[in-house]
Amino acid sequence: MKILSIAFKNINSLKGENFIDFEASPFSGNTLFAITGPTGSGKSSILDVISLALFNQVPRLGKISKKEIREKGAILTRNQKEAYAKVTYQTNAGRFTSSWSIEVNRNGNLNDYNMEIANLQDNSILDLKKSEIPAKNEELIGLNYDQFIKSVLLAQGDFAKFLSAKKEERGELLEKITGTGIYRQLGIMAYERFKAETSEIEKQQDEIKLINSYLLSDEDLEIFKKDLKAKTTQTESLQKDLRLIEKQLELKQNIQKQEKEIIGIQAEELKLNAQLKEFENQYGESLKQHEKLQPITEEIQSWKRFQQDLGDLKTGLNKTSEKIELNKENTSNFIQEVRSFIHEEVYVENLKEKLTDFTEKIRKLQEEKTSLAHDYKSKLQLFKTEIREINLEFPENDLKAGKEILQNLKAEKTQQKQQLENDLKEVDLENIASEKNRLKTELEKSREARSFSEKNLEQKQKQSDLKKEIESLKPEIENLPKTIQEEKTILISLKKDLEILQLKKENQLKTAQLKDLRKSLKTGEACPLCGSKEHPYSEHFPDFEDDLAVKISAKSLEIDEHNSKLTQVQSKLLHLEDSLENVKKQLSEIEAKISKNEDNFKKKNPEFEKPETINWERQIATLKAKIENIESFEAINPQLKAIAGGLPVLEELKKILQRGKLLQQQLLEQYPGKNIGEDSQQLMDNWNSLLQEKKYLQENEKQQREQFHKKSKTYEDLKEKLQQQVLEKDFESIENAYQSLLPGNKFFDLKKQKDDFLKQKSIVETGISTLKKQLKQFKENESERSTEDLTREQQQKQEAFESTQSNCEELRRKLNNNTENISHLKSLENQIAEKEKDCKRWRLLNTLIGDRQGKKFNDFAQDLTLSQLIYLANIRLKDLSERYKIDKAMNGEDDGLVAIDEDMGGQRRSVKTLSGGETFLLSLSLALALSDLASRNVEINSLFIDEGFGTLDPETLDQTLDTLEKLQVESGKTIGIISHVASLKERIGTQIQLTRNGQGYSSLVVK
């Protein structure tokens, strides 16, 4: 995996858009480069851009969301509305650009972030959700976020701690650095799984103990079985007695029920006899008379129907005669209606012919009118075509007004043409096209000249502003060296004062140490140190200054303050000198640009000698006005031609309109309707309907008369035959016999009703006889005991039965429970045996790697990882320094890592005794080793090393850079070193320099 370029906008302090292309110069010639700049200028923000664009995470904050940005003020540069980060990288899968972006919406709130991946081989955007982008980058690169941070973006701080940490702390740091915390989790999981498995077995063993406590003894089991057998026999005997008593009680209930049922049926018999008698009184005579006429009922009913049909036929003949008369009247009225329609005399014989002739006449008039309308539309369209150049709202409904408008417009356009000819005297109107092109060219040149003039004025204003800025910077730069010299003088004086105070303190300490010796000195005896025989301080000691430590501390603070002030002033001077250099450079560039632009303008536009003195707005307005007048003149000629062509067409339209009005008047007088065809056809249809109706009525009258005569003969024959038959059956006449017939199905209904009464009576009589026989049998088998005695005995035996049965159920339950407990006990014992087999592996695994904190397996795994890491680190360390090797501590040595000093015969030293530079070399070798370890299966061709170079002496720094250059040459890696060490600028030619611009913002320059 190799990072090809990064682009970003408004990330942390790096305001604005920035782009770094690692494939272009100067990186293409030397892929070892430095990222330099003062503290807080945004060096590490460049690494944040890479991890943010790939994984939506940064090492210092973790995962990024709009909540993180809003609450912590991170990522998005202060007071800016949008930010983005893009990384273009190459893997075996191809070239890809991963991007991250966020923006502030119109309400001033942050929108949620967005991420996407572009495939640069086909310039397509991968169809993924933003949450899926980090996983896709992980798949393409072959490293997850933690591995990427350890393999590509190396931070030295963790490894410096790692070197000197105790074994316990080193394990935690190694977990953090290598991401191998999984081993601790595996140890905990092995312990917890073993506890879970054994816990289940223990629960089942407790359950076995509980079940054993519930099991019956052999003696109790035998007693329960015998007791159950005796109780069961007693229950069966009681149940037999209860069934016998129940049958006796049931028989007594049946006797009572039978007696009640006999009484009920006898009452029903009486009711049926009464209903039958009532039926005979009401319908008996009618049924008798109908039954006498039953053989000739159909003939009598036919006679009655013939009588009714003849009446209906007679009524129908009368109605048909009335309709024939009405048809005659309607025909006469219709002929009068047609006369009014066609305005001529009409008769029955010529009505159709006259109506057809009138219709054809009206059609011809309407066709002529339609033809005139088509001509009018055609001429009107021609007129519109003629005057289309005018773009006129013409009143089509008022041709007279339209003609006046057209004539007035002609006069107006003629006058305009004369005015334009007068305004364009200087223009050759015979060559309008070339004149217009000439003026447009002049207009375009004037606009370009105006643009040049405005830009030139802006450049000169910038030139003036830069000169003023230079003048304002010079006095401050001239004064700062004096301030620096003053601070240096003050520091020299303060350091001398500090040395005097420190010397006094040392003397006091020495004096205090000689206190006992002074006490032994005697006057007249020589001092063993100086030989003097006088000892003025043997009894009277010199006074000590008790506040020397406070004075030294205060003086040190004062020196620190002036050192800080001196650093600030020196930085300010450096910044101002850089700013002055940048401003002078900008001034030089602007002056060169102004000169170049003015030369180019003079060559291109020699006709404009002094462009700044020309009123460009007025000149451009004049040229535009001339062009507009030419265009207006070009437009007037077609318009006048259109008016001239439109006026004759307008006259023709007027004539067509007059002829149309005459036709319309003629049509209104003869036919005011809308559709002559429909109206004429309607009249013709009505006439045909009247003729058809007349023919139908005449035929219908003939048929009705024939039917009436035929039915009359049949009726007389039937009447003669029936008259004799009804007299024989004792009826006075046919009409009297018809009146004696029951209507419709009433005879059959009454006959069925009578038969039903007789049938029910027979059934009731049979039922009474059967029930009396059954009652006799019941009484022969009835018990002599009363119902109360039987009920009392039943209750007593039922109570005894229930009590005995309850005892049986309780005994059965205890015996069943005992059987189930024995079965469950065997099942638990089998389960425990099976689980003991499965648990063997978990017990063994817990013994080997398990414990509550996961420490056992974690320590083992971390020790292996540490050995591999130290092995790879020593390979890297050999390139950095052949003096040292890293090793694990042995028994009796310091708990941290050990450095083996080859220059001292392989002496083993604690890394805590190493200098800052030596510590950095060892931590760098560990960082490079971790990169090798993390990227073992992935080719990493980009490496960024963050901080740590400030602790190296010049010789070691050179050696370290030699090693990194060698690593870069051998592996082809792009290696970036992040540092604020000034000497790196001299050694590494390719640099990404960051500078602070004030207000918390920084800028970036690639050199």
Side-chain angles (χ1 to χ4, degrees):
M1 181 267 183
K2 185 172 185 178
I3 296 173
L4 305 178
S5 67
I6 59 173
F8 55 94
K9 180 179 181 181
N10 297 330
I11 299 295
N12 293 329
S13 63
L14 296 170
K15 180 182 175 184
E17 291 188 279
N18 292 280
F19 177 69
I20 303 173
D21 187 355
F22 295 115
E23 292 185 293
S25 179
F27 300 103
S28 58
N30 186 2
T31 51
L32 177 65
F33 62 93
I35 303 173
T36 64
T39 302
S41 60
K43 298 187 296 298
S44 297
S45 293
I46 295 175
L47 305 190
D48 291 346
V49 167
I50 299 172
S51 61
L52 184 65
L54 293 174
F55 299 105
N56 187 38
Q57 296 189 58
V58 295
R60 291 171 288 180
L61 298 172
K63 285 192 175 181
I64 299 300
S65 65
K66 66 178 182 180
K67 182 181 178 183
E68 288 283 325
I69 296 172
R70 184 175 61 251
E71 293 180 355
K72 296 183 179 179
I75 304 300
L76 180 62
T77 305
R78 180 170 50 87
N79 299 328
Q80 301 306 301
K81 301 293 185 182
E82 62 174 337
Y84 68 76
K86 295 181 182 179
V87 172
T88 299
Y89 62 88
Q90 181 174 355
T91 67
N92 293 334
R95 288 187 171 217
F96 301 90
T97 295
S98 180
S99 60
W100 177 99
S101 61
I102 198 165
E103 62 181 7
V104 177
N105 59 32
R106 64 179 67 183
N107 298 320
N109 299 319
L110 272 175
N111 290 334
D112 205 359
Y113 75 90
N114 186 43
M115 291 189 79
E116 63 179 23
I117 298 178
N119 186 339
L120 300 185
Q121 290 175 310
D122 56 7
N123 291 322
S124 62
I125 303 296
L126 301 190
D127 185 15
L128 296 169
K129 297 178 183 177
K130 66 180 181 182
S131 58
E132 298 170 342
I133 299 298
K136 185 63 179 177
N137 279 321
E138 180 180 333
E139 176 190 332
L140 293 170
I141 296 169
L143 299 171
N144 61 28
Y145 170 72
D146 291 330
Q147 291 169 335
F148 183 84
I149 293 301
K150 298 171 181 65
S151 305
V152 180
L153 312 180
L154 306 182
Q156 297 298 302
D158 288 341
F159 291 98
K161 295 177 188 174
F162 180 74
L163 280 169
S164 57
K166 292 183 179 180
K167 184 177 181 181
E168 196 71 30
E169 295 172 358
R170 187 169 63 237
E172 294 177 4
L173 283 170
L174 195 59
E175 273 188 52
K176 178 184 173 186
I177 293 171
T178 61
T180 52
I182 184 68
Y183 301 111
R184 182 182 296 277
Q185 295 174 20
L186 287 172
I188 293 170
M189 288 170 67
Y191 170 78
E192 290 177 348
R193 181 62 184 267
F194 169 71
K195 290 295 290 180
E197 293 291 334
T198 54
S199 172
E200 189 66 26
I201 292 173
E202 288 171 2
K203 285 180 183 177
Q204 289 179 330
Q205 287 172 341
D206 292 340
E207 193 175 352
I208 286 173
K209 290 177 183 177
L210 184 64
I211 291 170
N212 279 325
S213 69
Y214 293 153
L215 290 178
L216 295 172
S217 64
D218 293 341
E219 184 180 349
D220 288 342
L221 188 62
E222 191 64 30
I223 291 169
F224 282 175
K225 285 180 179 180
K226 287 180 180 180
D227 198 7
L228 176 62
K229 185 176 181 181
K231 295 284 185 186
T232 302
T233 304
Q234 186 181 352
T235 302
E236 290 172 352
S237 175
L238 286 168
Q239 197 171 20
K240 201 177 203 181
D241 294 344
L242 281 169
R243 278 198 293 269
L244 183 60
I245 293 169
E246 189 176 350
K247 283 182 179 180
Q248 290 174 351
L249 286 170
E250 187 179 351
L251 182 61
K252 285 184 177 292
Q253 288 174 355
N254 287 337
I255 289 169
Q256 291 175 357
K257 185 178 178 183
Q258 202 86 332
E259 288 173 345
K260 287 180 182 178
E261 194 170 350
I262 289 169
I263 293 168
I265 293 174
Q266 287 174 340
E268 188 177 349
E269 183 183 22
L270 291 172
K271 184 179 177 182
L272 279 171
N273 288 333
Q275 288 176 345
L276 186 60
K277 185 177 180 181
E278 185 181 354
F279 181 83
E280 286 293 339
N281 291 335
Q282 190 173 357
Y283 301 110
E285 185 62 29
S286 298
L287 280 170
K288 184 179 178 182
Q289 292 292 326
H290 188 92
E291 284 173 349
K292 285 165 65 176
L293 295 169
Q294 186 68 21
I296 59 171
T297 300
E298 288 187 10
E299 286 86 348
I300 294 171
Q301 289 175 344
S302 295
W303 170 82
K304 191 65 178 177
R305 282 197 298 274
F306 273 116
Q307 195 180 55
Q308 290 173 350
D309 290 346
L310 286 170
D312 292 341
L313 283 170
K314 193 172 182 179
T315 303
L317 274 169
N318 292 334
K319 287 182 179 179
T320 302
S321 298
E322 289 174 1
K323 288 180 180 179
I324 289 170
E325 290 300 320
L326 181 62
N327 178 264
K328 289 178 181 178
E329 184 181 347
N330 289 340
T331 302
S332 177
N333 291 337
F334 183 76
I335 290 170
Q336 188 61 39
E337 182 183 349
V338 173
R339 283 174 187 164
S340 300
F341 184 72
I342 65 175
H343 312 292
E344 287 187 52
E345 268 313 311
V346 178
Y347 304 101
V348 174
E349 296 77 12
N350 66 353
L351 185 141
K352 286 186 178 181
E353 184 182 351
K354 290 285 186 182
L355 187 58
T356 303
D357 292 343
F358 178 74
T359 301
E360 189 62 30
K361 178 183 174 183
I362 296 301
R363 275 206 178 105
K364 285 180 180 179
L365 289 172
Q366 287 178 337
E367 285 173 2
E368 187 179 356
K369 182 185 174 186
T370 303
S371 177
L372 281 173
H374 284 311
D375 290 345
Y376 184 83
K377 285 183 180 178
S378 178
K379 291 292 182 183
L380 184 62
Q381 187 60 42
L382 177 61
F383 174 74
K384 289 180 178 178
T385 303
E386 289 288 342
I387 66 168
R388 65 178 177 272
E389 293 289 338
I390 304 173
N391 194 20
L392 178 67
E393 289 290 332
F394 187 79
E396 295 179 15
N397 297 328
D398 191 349
L399 295 180
K400 186 179 178 182
K403 184 178 180 181
E404 289 179 4
I405 291 170
L406 212 57
Q407 288 172 340
N408 292 336
L409 186 63
K410 181 179 179 182
E412 182 185 340
K413 292 293 179 183
T414 303
Q415 186 178 355
Q416 286 180 5
K417 182 180 179 183
Q418 292 172 354
Q419 181 64 41
L420 286 169
E421 286 174 346
N422 187 48
D423 292 341
L424 296 170
K425 288 178 181 178
E426 300 175 359
V427 177
D428 182 5
L429 296 177
E430 296 298 325
N431 298 306
I432 287 179
S434 61
E435 286 291 292
K436 188 161 72 170
N437 287 334
R438 177 182 63 80
L439 289 170
K440 283 184 177 180
T441 302
E442 287 185 21
L443 178 63
E444 188 61 33
K445 283 190 173 184
S446 296
R447 283 174 174 162
E448 288 178 2
R450 179 182 63 180
S451 176
F452 163 76
S453 182
E454 290 172 352
K455 289 180 180 177
N456 201 38
L457 285 172
E458 288 178 8
Q459 294 290 335
K460 287 184 176 180
Q461 182 61 42
K462 285 183 181 178
Q463 179 186 20
S464 175
D465 293 342
L466 288 170
K467 286 180 178 179
K468 288 178 182 177
E469 190 175 353
I470 289 169
E471 291 303 318
S472 65
L473 287 171
K474 281 181 179 179
E476 197 170 358
I477 291 172
E478 290 172 358
N479 291 330
L480 282 174
K482 183 179 178 182
T483 306
I484 290 170
Q485 189 57 47
E486 289 174 355
E487 287 298 323
K488 286 181 177 179
T489 304
I490 292 169
L491 277 169
I492 291 168
S493 175
L494 288 171
K495 286 178 180 177
K496 286 182 178 178
D497 293 343
L498 179 63
E499 288 176 3
I500 292 169
L501 289 170
Q502 288 174 338
L503 186 60
K504 283 184 178 181
K505 187 174 181 182
E506 289 175 6
N507 289 335
Q508 283 188 356
L509 288 171
K510 290 177 181 178
T511 302
Q513 291 170 359
L514 295 172
K515 184 176 180 181
D516 293 335
L517 181 60
R518 288 195 194 101
K519 288 179 180 178
S520 63
L521 294 175
K522 294 180 180 179
T523 302
E525 293 181 3
C527 173
L529 183 64
C530 63
S532 175
K533 293 183 179 181
E534 294 181 0
H535 316 295
Y537 296 122
S538 60
E539 293 180 0
H540 302 287
F541 299 113
D543 295 331
F544 286 172
E545 295 184 35
D546 296 331
D547 58 348
L548 270 179
V550 175
K551 288 179 179 179
I552 288 170
S553 177
K555 191 65 67 176
S556 297
L557 287 173
E558 194 174 354
I559 289 170
D560 290 342
E561 287 175 4
H562 283 279
N563 268 327
S564 176
K565 188 175 179 181
L566 177 62
T567 303
Q568 289 175 2
V569 175
Q570 287 174 332
S571 298
K572 187 176 181 182
L573 178 60
L574 184 61
H575 174 68
L576 289 174
E577 286 174 344
D578 288 343
S579 297
L580 180 62
E581 193 65 31
N582 286 334
V583 173
K584 285 180 177 180
K585 185 178 178 182
Q586 290 176 26
L587 178 61
S588 176
E589 289 174 354
I590 286 175
E591 286 175 344
K593 193 173 183 180
I594 290 171
S595 176
K596 182 181 177 182
N597 289 342
E598 287 178 346
D599 291 342
N600 290 338
F601 181 77
K602 285 177 183 179
K603 290 176 183 177
K604 190 176 179 181
N605 303 288
E607 64 271 24
F608 301 127
E609 293 184 2
K610 294 182 179 180
E612 64 275 2
T613 61
I614 297 172
N615 188 335
W616 294 110
E617 298 299 330
R618 184 188 302 164
Q619 182 163 329
I620 289 168
T622 302
L623 289 169
K624 284 170 74 176
K626 283 184 180 181
I627 292 168
E628 288 171 2
N629 285 339
I630 289 174
E631 289 173 347
S632 298
F633 184 79
E634 282 181 309
I636 278 177
N637 281 332
Q639 289 173 352
L640 287 170
K641 185 178 178 182
I643 293 168
L647 285 170
V649 178
L650 201 59
E651 286 298 326
E652 292 178 21
L653 283 171
K654 188 177 179 183
K655 290 176 183 179
I656 292 170
L657 200 59
Q658 288 172 352
R659 173 61 183 156
K661 286 179 179 179
L662 288 173
L663 276 175
Q664 180 68 18
Q665 184 63 32
Q666 192 175 350
L667 275 169
L668 286 173
E669 290 173 358
Q670 294 188 32
Y671 171 68
K674 293 182 178 178
N675 193 322
I676 185 62
E678 288 182 3
D679 292 346
S680 176
Q681 186 62 45
Q682 183 64 45
L683 289 169
M684 195 70 78
D685 292 344
N686 292 343
W687 175 246
N688 289 332
S689 296
L690 287 169
L691 293 177
Q692 289 288 336
E693 185 183 26
K694 179 181 177 181
K695 183 180 177 182
Y696 168 75
L697 289 171
Q698 288 172 348
E699 290 176 355
N700 193 30
E701 185 183 33
K702 182 181 177 183
Q703 290 174 0
Q704 286 176 336
R705 288 187 186 281
E706 289 175 355
Q707 194 176 3
F708 181 77
H709 289 307
K710 185 178 179 181
K711 283 207 172 190
S712 294
K713 185 176 182 305
T714 306
Y715 171 72
E716 289 299 330
D717 294 341
L718 184 61
K719 181 179 177 183
E720 185 178 351
K721 178 184 175 184
L722 277 175
Q723 186 68 40
Q724 183 64 34
Q725 290 177 336
V726 296
L727 289 173
E728 290 174 357
K729 293 184 181 293
D730 299 328
F731 287 95
E732 297 176 358
S733 62
I734 299 172
E735 183 64 35
N736 182 254
Y738 177 76
Q739 293 298 329
S740 297
L741 288 174
L742 290 169
N745 293 324
K746 191 170 183 181
F747 168 73
F748 298 104
D749 292 342
L750 291 172
K751 187 77 169 61
K752 182 178 181 301
Q753 193 174 351
K754 183 178 178 180
D755 291 343
D756 288 344
F757 277 131
L758 292 172
K759 185 179 179 182
Q760 288 177 18
K761 184 179 178 184
S762 175
I763 290 168
V764 168
E765 288 172 349
T766 304
I768 290 170
S769 175
T770 303
L771 287 171
K772 283 182 178 179
K773 287 179 182 178
Q774 289 178 354
L775 181 61
K776 186 179 178 183
Q777 291 175 358
F778 286 160
K779 286 189 175 182
E780 287 174 358
N781 297 320
E782 183 181 9
S783 173
E784 294 179 358
R785 295 176 64 186
S786 66
T787 303
E788 290 76 9
D789 288 344
L790 290 170
T791 304
R792 193 179 303 112
E793 185 181 357
Q794 183 189 37
Q795 186 176 356
Q796 290 171 355
K797 286 188 179 287
Q798 183 68 33
E799 288 174 357
F801 170 76
E802 289 176 357
S803 175
T804 307
Q805 190 180 42
S806 176
N807 290 334
C808 288
E809 290 297 326
E810 180 65 24
L811 287 168
R812 285 194 193 94
R813 185 185 63 77
K814 288 179 179 179
L815 289 170
N816 288 336
N817 286 347
N818 192 66
T819 303
E820 288 175 2
N821 284 336
I822 291 169
S823 175
H824 187 43
L825 191 64
K826 290 179 179 177
S827 174
L828 286 172
E829 287 172 348
N830 292 334
Q831 290 177 26
I832 289 172
E834 288 296 321
K835 284 182 180 176
E836 283 289 352
K837 290 179 185 177
D838 293 339
C839 197
K840 279 183 180 179
R841 56 181 173 179
W842 298 113
R843 181 177 282 106
L844 177 62
L845 193 63
N846 181 60
T847 303
L848 294 173
I849 67 171
D851 64 87
R852 191 183 299 276
Q853 288 83 27
K855 188 173 181 299
K856 187 189 297 182
F857 190 39
N858 185 63
D859 289 349
F860 174 73
Q862 296 299 352
D863 192 57
L864 292 178
T865 305
L866 179 61
S867 297
Q868 181 65 15
L869 189 63
I870 289 173
Y871 170 75
L872 295 172
N874 282 329
I875 294 173
R876 292 297 185 186
L877 185 59
K878 188 175 182 181
D879 292 330
L880 294 169
S881 172
E882 294 188 353
R883 178 176 178 180
Y884 293 107
K885 284 184 181 178
I886 306 171
D887 196 9
K888 291 187 287 187
M890 299 173 67
N891 291 334
E893 291 183 332
D894 187 78
D895 206 15
L897 293 179
V898 172
I900 299 174
D901 193 339
E902 298 291 353
D903 289 357
M904 298 295 290
Q907 180 183 356
R908 299 170 64 86
R909 296 169 52 192
S910 170
V911 291
K912 296 175 184 177
T913 65
L914 300 176
S915 66
E918 291 169 331
T919 301
F920 169 75
L921 290 177
L922 268 62
S923 64
L924 177 60
S925 66
L926 281 169
L928 293 172
L930 180 62
S931 178
D932 295 336
L933 187 65
S935 61
R936 182 171 294 174
N937 298 319
V938 179
E939 184 179 357
I940 301 297
N941 291 318
S942 295
L943 193 65
F944 294 87
I945 302 171
D946 190 359
E947 289 301 343
F949 294 89
T951 59
L952 301 181
D953 59 74
E955 183 181 349
T956 307
L957 177 61
D958 286 343
Q959 187 180 357
T960 302
L961 292 177
D962 286 341
T963 303
L964 291 174
E965 286 173 351
K966 179 182 176 185
L967 173 64
Q968 181 268 316
V969 170
E970 290 175 351
S971 63
K973 292 180 187 286
T974 298
I975 300 176
I977 298 170
I978 300 176
S979 181
H980 57 269
V981 177
S983 56
L984 280 175
K985 295 181 182 180
E986 300 172 4
R987 177 64 186 268
I988 301 176
T990 304
Q991 296 178 23
I992 300 173
Q993 295 180 351
L994 290 98
T995 56
R996 288 181 296 192
N997 301 333
Q999 299 181 344
Y1001 301 134
S1002 300
S1003 60
L1004 179 151
V1005 177
V1006 176
K1007 292 187 176 180

